[in-house]
């Protein structure tokens, strides 16, 4: 039942997925109303292929998070829900991994400070020392963790130590040019976002922009996705493209490519941090 309080209402966000059936929306709305909740945003989607229902609700309530969580847990059992409840806008503790390219790290750090990107950048981890000055500029602790074939296991063990020590909720591979092991991908499943270039047709290996230039591509782009053991094949969160033509030099393609990578990664990180991304098998539902 509704009640008033001297405490300012807390904005919360509830996300859930469950087998689709009648009554889910009514049950969720009723539960929130019982806690004096005012729904400020609600989105839902029923996937006819998987038979699953997805929902994201923002609510303003003076009920405690613990009290609401207890009742949501009971509702979740009734509907076989996978769910998450959090304070809306709470900065997500994020670790950024880089190699030598600065554009994505610089963009995320700038957006966090200037555009209220809801992340708390608690560490930068790199297999090179190149970007230490950039991390220092933004006041983010920098950890140099070199990686060779002989030290890969130790480097990943160090990464997991940092994730544990710093209570990291999200890992962002911001042009980190190392492949994570299957075991690490499984242990951090759903918590690692990667960005990579996307060409039509696709070019792999060294100097992809030079290859694209030689083939006269008309579109360059970038894909932000969750990391799985299948290289660059995890569930896609966001993609972006730029149209190019014969007048663009290789350097132009590189600059445009970096810009499109920044944009796609920033949106993916924001949507994840705002609990707008729900997994639906090998793809994502994104409530923008």
């Amino acid at each position: 039942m509704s009640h008033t309080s001297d405490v300012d209402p807390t904005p919360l966000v509830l996300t859930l997925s469950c087998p689709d059936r009648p009554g889910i929306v009514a049950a969720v709305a009723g539960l929130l109303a019982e806690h004096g909740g005012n729904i400020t945003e609600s989105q839902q989607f029923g996937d006819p292929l998987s038979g699953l229902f997805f929902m994201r609700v923002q609510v303003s309530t003076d009920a405690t998070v613990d009290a609401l969580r207890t009742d949501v847990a009971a509702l979740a059992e009734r509907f076989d829900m996978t769910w998450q409840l959090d304070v809306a806008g709470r900065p997500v503790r994020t670790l950024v991994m880089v190699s030598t390219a600065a554009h994505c790290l610089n963009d995320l750090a700038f957006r966090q400070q200037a555009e209220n990107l809801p992340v708390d950048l608690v560490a930068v981890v790199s297999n090179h020392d190149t970007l230490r000055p950039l991390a220092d500029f933004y006041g983010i602790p920098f950890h140099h963790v070199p990686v060779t074939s002989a030290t890969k296991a130790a480097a990943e063990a160090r990464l997991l130590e940092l994730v544990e020590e710093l209570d990291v909720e999200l890992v962002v591979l911001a042009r980190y040019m190392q492949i994570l092991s299957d075991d690490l991908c499984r242990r951090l499943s759903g918590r690692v976002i990667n960005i990579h270039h996307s060409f039509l047709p696709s070019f792999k290996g060294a100097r992809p922009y030079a290859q694209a230039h030689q083939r006269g591509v008309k579109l360059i782009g970038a894909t932000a996705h969750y990391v799985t053991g299948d290289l660059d094949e995890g569930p896609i969160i966001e993609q972006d493209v730029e149209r190019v033509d014969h007048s663009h030099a290789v350097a132009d393609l590189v600059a445009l490519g970096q810009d499109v990578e920044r944009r796609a990664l920033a949106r993916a990180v924001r949507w994840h941090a705002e609990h707008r991304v729900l997994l639906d098998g090998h793809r994502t539902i994104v409530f923008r």
Side-chain angles (χ1 to χ4, degrees):
M1 71 191 148
S2 264
H3 57 284
T4 58
S5 168
D6 294 333
V7 180
D8 290 336
T10 301
L12 302 176
V13 57
L14 171 66
T15 56
L16 62 92
S17 63
C18 62
D20 202 354
R21 55 180 268 198
I24 301 169
V25 174
V28 171
L31 184 151
L32 296 176
E34 289 173 6
H35 285 269
N38 178 41
I39 295 175
T40 57
E41 184 179 333
S42 179
Q43 295 165 288
Q44 52 270 331
F45 173 72
D47 185 353
L49 296 177
S50 67
L52 294 177
F53 176 81
F54 300 86
M55 189 174 188
R56 179 186 185 275
V57 185
Q58 281 193 202
V59 59
S60 178
T61 177
D62 53 14
T64 66
V65 176
D66 288 341
L68 190 55
R69 187 171 280 124
T70 298
D71 285 358
V72 172
L75 186 70
E77 189 171 339
R78 175 180 155 200
F79 285 95
D80 193 21
M81 290 177 179
T82 299
W83 61 281
Q84 185 176 17
L85 180 69
D86 203 348
V87 176
R90 179 187 64 82
V92 172
R93 295 180 64 82
T94 302
L95 181 152
V96 181
M97 301 190 73
V98 295
S99 288
T100 59
H103 57 287
C104 287
L105 170 60
N106 184 64
D107 186 70
L108 290 173
F110 176 80
R111 289 178 190 272
Q112 186 272 321
Q113 292 191 4
E115 299 180 4
N116 295 319
L117 182 68
V119 294
D120 180 9
L121 302 181
V122 297
V124 172
V125 172
S126 180
N127 56 324
H128 297 273
D129 215 38
T130 309
L131 299 184
R132 183 186 294 273
L134 181 61
D136 290 344
F137 174 79
Y138 284 106
I140 308 170
F142 184 91
H143 302 267
H144 181 208
V145 183
V147 180
T148 66
S149 56
T151 64
K152 185 177 180 67
E156 291 195 345
R158 176 57 181 149
L159 172 63
L160 287 172
E161 285 179 3
L162 287 169
V163 167
E164 184 72 24
E165 291 169 10
L166 301 173
D167 196 21
V168 169
E169 300 169 274
L170 175 65
V171 175
V172 179
L173 306 185
R175 299 302 288 157
Y176 181 66
M177 307 307 290
Q178 293 288 323
I179 297 173
L180 304 185
S181 69
D182 288 352
D183 180 63
L184 183 61
C185 291
R186 281 192 295 270
R187 294 184 68 170
L188 297 178
S189 178
R191 298 167 58 193
V192 184
I193 295 176
N194 186 34
I195 184 73
H196 68 87
H197 65 72
S198 304
F199 289 112
L200 300 174
S202 178
F203 302 103
K204 298 181 179 180
R207 305 186 69 226
Y209 287 97
Q211 296 179 57
H213 184 264
Q214 290 168 3
R215 288 288 299 276
V217 300
K218 308 306 180 193
L219 288 173
I220 60 173
T223 296
H225 62 93
Y226 287 115
V227 172
T228 65
D230 296 322
L231 181 63
D232 294 338
E233 293 185 11
I236 294 170
I237 306 169
E238 173 63 341
Q239 293 178 296
D240 203 349
V241 295
E242 284 283 355
R243 183 166 289 279
V244 296
D245 60 31
H246 58 275
S247 68
H248 288 89
V250 173
D252 298 327
L253 299 188
V254 171
L256 286 169
Q258 290 183 347
D259 190 47
V260 78
E261 288 171 3
R262 284 193 292 259
R263 298 198 308 259
L265 181 60
R267 286 196 290 265
V269 169
R270 178 178 293 278
W271 294 339
H272 175 93
E274 292 178 349
H275 306 288
R276 296 184 179 276
V277 186
L278 286 77
L279 285 172
D280 184 11
H282 294 296
R283 66 185 192 131
T284 60
I285 306 301
V286 183
F287 290 126
R288 295 189 285 181

